[in-house]
Amino acid sequence: MDKKVRLGVIGTGHMGQYHVNVAKQLTDAELVGIFDANAERATQIAEKHKTKAFGTIEELLKVTDAIIIAAPTFLHHKIAKQALTEKKHVLVEKPISQTVEEAKELVNLAKQNNLILQVGHVERFNGAVLELGKIAEHPILIESRRIAPYNSRITDVGVVLDMMIHDIDIVLNLVKSEVTEVKAVGSSIVSNHEDVATVVLKFANGCVASLNASRSSQAKIRTLNISQKDSYVFLDFTNQEIELHRQASSTTQLGSGEIKYRQESIVEKIFVHKDNPLKQEHEHFVKCIKGESEPMVKGDSDIKTLEVAYRILEEIHGKK
């Protein structure tokens, strides 16, 4: 495919606006239009970004090759299924759908039609995370903290599907082993869903992961710590930085007085190519459509992420 990929964005709320802005910057794709259930809002966004607001999803699908879905979670399955049925490639915001069964249906539909179905795990495209896979090969203990102030715009899901799902995805991708045990607690603070959650995952290979998330904090912290046999990795998502700590118990004699200096550890700052992760995600999506790259977040892996997320929610809220 030599010509530009024709993109459309469905949903122009908080996250949708970012998608529209990034889609306008792509070199191998063009934003042909947007749709939002709120026609007035769609018109405002279209005017701001010099694109067209379509009256229906059907009209937008007719003129596009691919769709970016940033609508509320409960609409993900319906819109993605409609787009895939119309033979359109899909980038859908996380979580892929409200149930594992819906997710499996979408993944199968994409496979049957030989289409790209990419889920918006934007943290996978964070410069630090892209480097992480090269240095975190045998994790023993993983600890994540993802805390932020409450965002009143997100009302349809709790902190697990809103925020922690990023860390579940990253941890499963790093450990590459089956989850054998899930323990989780959480509570509602400011919404009707869980707003704070602490989770412990145990894997078949012995690795243990402790995930902590809150959306009722006064600070914004997004970090990941990984303990390995010969190193300790600290990752800061916000600054896109990685530190690698290694033990180096060497004793050195310095000067005439034979002063002994013991170096306890070495800290390496890993060079990270910093870019806009959302732009990286869009560029990757377009490359996959053009056959120039393989999807980084495959549908099957996202089903596993969603399955673990729902096991966590069952632990917190009890089986429904």
Side-chain angles (χ1 to χ4, degrees), residues 53-236:
F54 284 77
T56 65
I57 291 174
E58 289 77 15
E59 289 174 328
L60 180 58
L61 288 175
K62 283 177 185 174
V63 298
T64 54
D65 302 309
I67 288 292
I68 296 164
I69 301 170
T73 302
F74 74 93
L75 292 170
H76 285 186
H77 173 259
K78 180 185 176 184
I79 299 171
K81 184 177 179 180
Q82 186 179 352
L84 291 167
T85 303
E86 292 288 325
K87 307 291 192 291
K88 309 298 178 183
H89 303 283
V90 171
L91 168 56
V92 57
E93 264 302 330
K94 52 78 191 164
I96 182 173
S97 59
Q98 281 191 304
T99 69
V100 174
E101 288 71 30
E102 287 178 349
K104 286 178 178 176
E105 184 185 5
L106 294 178
V107 169
N108 289 333
L109 192 56
K111 283 180 182 175
Q112 287 166 16
N113 292 316
N114 198 26
L115 295 165
I116 300 298
L117 171 61
Q118 186 176 317
V119 182
H121 288 295
V122 69
E123 289 288 31
R124 284 275 200 111
F125 298 89
N126 184 301
V129 176
L130 291 171
E131 292 295 323
L132 186 63
K134 301 171 189 175
I135 54 176
E137 296 178 327
H138 303 290
I140 297 169
L141 173 66
I142 302 176
E143 303 161 280
S144 77
R145 291 180 73 204
R146 189 174 293 266
I147 65 175
Y150 180 61
N151 182 347
S152 59
R153 289 181 293 266
I154 299 159
T155 57
D156 59 338
V157 292
V159 76
V160 172
L161 292 177
D162 175 24
M163 293 166 60
M164 187 184 282
I165 197 161
H166 286 299
D167 300 307
I168 298 168
D169 172 64
I170 290 167
V171 167
L172 292 182
N173 184 54
L174 280 175
V175 180
K176 294 181 176 67
S177 178
E178 288 299 311
V179 175
T180 57
E181 198 174 333
V182 176
K183 291 185 178 177
V185 290
S187 60
S188 171
I189 308 294
V190 288
S191 76
N192 295 325
H193 303 276
E194 79 288 345
D195 299 303
V196 296
T198 293
V199 175
V200 176
L201 303 177
K202 187 174 180 183
F203 293 86
N205 66 0
C207 180
V208 173
S210 169
L211 315 179
N212 298 281
S214 167
R215 58 179 186 185
S216 59
S217 168
Q218 296 306 307
K220 191 170 184 178
I221 299 169
R222 296 185 296 156
T223 59
L224 190 73
N225 305 325
I226 300 171
S227 297
Q228 301 188 108
K229 191 174 181 182
D230 58 352
S231 65
Y232 175 83
V233 182
F234 171 79
L235 183 149
D236 187 320

Side-chain angles (χ1 to χ4, degrees), residues 18 74 123 206 233 258 261 269:
Y18 290 126
F74 74 93
E123 289 288 31
V233 182
E258 291 191 353
Y261 172 70
K269 282 255 187 185

Side-chain angles (χ1 to χ4, degrees), residues 2 17 25 34 52 63 82 126 144 150 172 179-180 189 260 270 285 293 310:
D2 293 326
Q17 281 193 70
Q25 301 172 37
I34 62 173
K52 183 179 178 182
V63 298
Q82 186 179 352
N126 184 301
S144 77
Y150 180 61
L172 292 182
V179 175
T180 57
I189 308 294
K260 290 185 177 179
I270 306 298
F285 180 49
S293 185
Y310 276 105

